[in-house]
Amino acid sequence: MENSAVFIKMVLSNWQTQNGRLSALFDKLSDDELATETAPGRNTGIYLLGHMAAVHDGMFTILGLGERLYPELDEVFIHNPDKSGLPKPPVSHLRECWKKVSETLEQHINATRPDEWFNRHNSVSEEDFAKEPHRNKLNIIINRTNHLSTHLGQLNYLSPRS
């Protein structure tokens, strides 16, 4: 296996591991646990569930994988903070959104050829990409894995202690 293929496998494996951990945590937490703040004055689990679904949904267009499934989540979970006062969809709907986005994104990621990962993503112009080739699709996965890991750490505080 050539070095770039090994690097791609490492990045995607980490993505899948972290995404699986977050999905397992969302499955484990009750609706009441998700309704609590991760720390005093911080985001609730419900907000982070919607936020993660919205961010990952945005990856479809950034990576050129197709249309978004739930763009309506952006107003509440991307453009506004948790305490904005905007009504949030029911937790059951957010859980469904997360599962659907995760499953569909995973299918697309698995179908992406190794040579495609070093192509320009859709949030960078061709001119900028020519100057900064590191702004590629694989870098989006790295960035989103870091983002995911940050919120996974916050959400772990919602797990009941034994």
Side-chain angles (χ1 to χ4, degrees), residues 18-99:
Q18 296 301 325
N19 206 52
R21 287 176 180 161
L22 186 58
S23 291
L25 184 57
F26 282 144
D27 288 344
K28 177 181 149 186
L29 294 171
S30 70
D31 290 1
D32 287 341
E33 289 166 338
L34 283 173
T36 60
E37 294 178 332
T38 58
R42 301 308 244 179
N43 292 327
T44 62
I46 293 170
Y47 182 84
L48 291 175
L49 172 60
H51 176 72
M52 293 307 298
V55 168
H56 286 200
D57 189 43
M59 291 173 66
F60 290 108
T61 52
I62 292 171
L63 295 174
L65 302 174
E67 295 300 314
R68 296 184 61 185
L69 303 175
Y70 306 102
E72 68 278 4
L73 295 178
D74 284 10
E75 187 59 29
V76 176
F77 299 107
I78 301 284
H79 302 306
N80 286 287
D82 190 359
K83 313 295 189 282
S84 68
L86 293 173
K88 293 176 182 60
V91 178
S92 60
H93 176 68
L94 294 175
R95 288 181 188 274
E96 289 172 23
C97 293
W98 170 255
K99 284 182 194 261

